Amino acid sequence: MSTTPIADRRTTSVAARATDLSKIYGQGETQVVALDRVTVEFRQAEFTAIMGPSGSGKSTLMHCVAGLDTFSSGSVRIGDTELGSLKDKQLTKLRRDKIGFIFQAFNLLPTLTALENITLPMDIAGRKPDKQWLDSVIQMVGLRDRLGHRPSQLSGGQQQRVAVARALASRPEIIFGDEPTGNLDSRSGAEVLGFLRNSVRELGQTVVMVTHDPVAASYADRVVFLADGRIVDEMYRPTAETVLDFMKQFDAKGRTS
Ligand SMILES: Nc1ncnc2c1ncn2[C@@H]1O[C@H](COP(=O)(O)OP(=O)(O)O)[C@@H](O)[C@H]1O
Ligand SMILES: [Mg+2]
């Protein structure tokens, strides 16, 4: 069991919420219900992992809640803002100002240094980074002596740490990651997951991460399990063992039903 008490959470307010969220692709015979009336909350300063079999709707859920994709029905709120009420420009602004993203592919610009990559979203938005905050983020991800390096001069793990720092730099309301450690060896993956967990514990960041890896999920405070576009269970204080046990049971049930 994780030894960090859940009561450590600084606040219980909700960073993001999906209510009765459905997403249907295609029409008629080719129709796919990717999300089927999903209701889920992501509380501030909580680290949530989203798990489930391939095709269960994990990426779709993340994309819809993060304002990267439209949905068919239901609603999504980031902080106090209903996404459905926003025009395209407002949605772009919300994504830029309130949401951080970490993807499987690090998505760094090769011609920019680590530091330039970290501050790029804020530079584009014309916002000055908070020096002290940026400093603590750089400290936390251990990149201080690599700030002048370009991505090609960094290891995969270091590049993903740059991506984590980039997501944290603007102090977003919430950070979403889709398999953020999917391209990393287990040691670099553990580092990146450790930084994400620290950002929650020490900086009060909210993080939602899609993963299929029980070890990665064990860094989270909570795991939400999806199957066929629905939330089928959730678990607090997951360990790699309890998550793996759950997945095995779930697979077994799936085969017999
Ligand atoms: N652009 C799309 N067009 C049609 N179907 C899609 C599209 N994207 C995803 N799907 C379908 O929606 C379901 C959920 O996909 P996804 O959210 O990517 O699952 P996961 O991330 O859990 O693997 C799957 O059946 C997938 O085939
Ligand atoms: Mg996916």
Side-chain angles (χ1 to χ4, degrees), residues 229-245:
R230 295 186 195 168
I231 292 182
V232 289
D233 218 327
E234 67 178 324
M235 182 189 286
Y236 281 89
R237 302 187 191 194
T239 67
E241 289 76 28
T242 56
V243 171
L244 196 57
D245 280 348

Side-chain angles (χ1 to χ4, degrees), residues 120-193:
L120 181 65
M122 304 188 70
D123 293 340
I124 291 172
R127 282 169 64 194
K128 282 244 173 324
D130 173 338
K131 275 263 162 58
Q132 222 177 335
W133 174 260
L134 191 60
D135 203 57
S136 50
V137 167
I138 288 165
Q139 182 66 27
M140 192 188 75
V141 297
L143 285 169
R144 192 165 306 286
D145 56 352
R146 293 285 185 280
L147 292 176
H149 289 53
R150 292 182 206 290
S152 62
Q153 301 169 312
L154 299 170
S155 70
Q158 288 168 337
Q159 289 183 57
Q160 195 61 316
R161 276 148 60 184
V162 173
V164 170
R166 179 180 57 189
L168 281 163
S170 65
R171 260 188 134 144
E173 195 113 358
I174 185 163
I175 289 181
F176 291 98
D178 198 348
E179 307 255 7
T181 55
N183 275 343
L184 300 179
D185 61 70
S186 58
R187 182 155 159 256
S188 307
E191 268 177 18
V192 166
L193 290 161

Side-chain angles (χ1 to χ4, degrees), residues 53-60 63 104 178-179 210:
S54 177
S56 58
K58 303 181 295 294
S59 296
T60 305
H63 291 165
Q104 191 168 334
D178 198 348
E179 307 255 7
V210 169

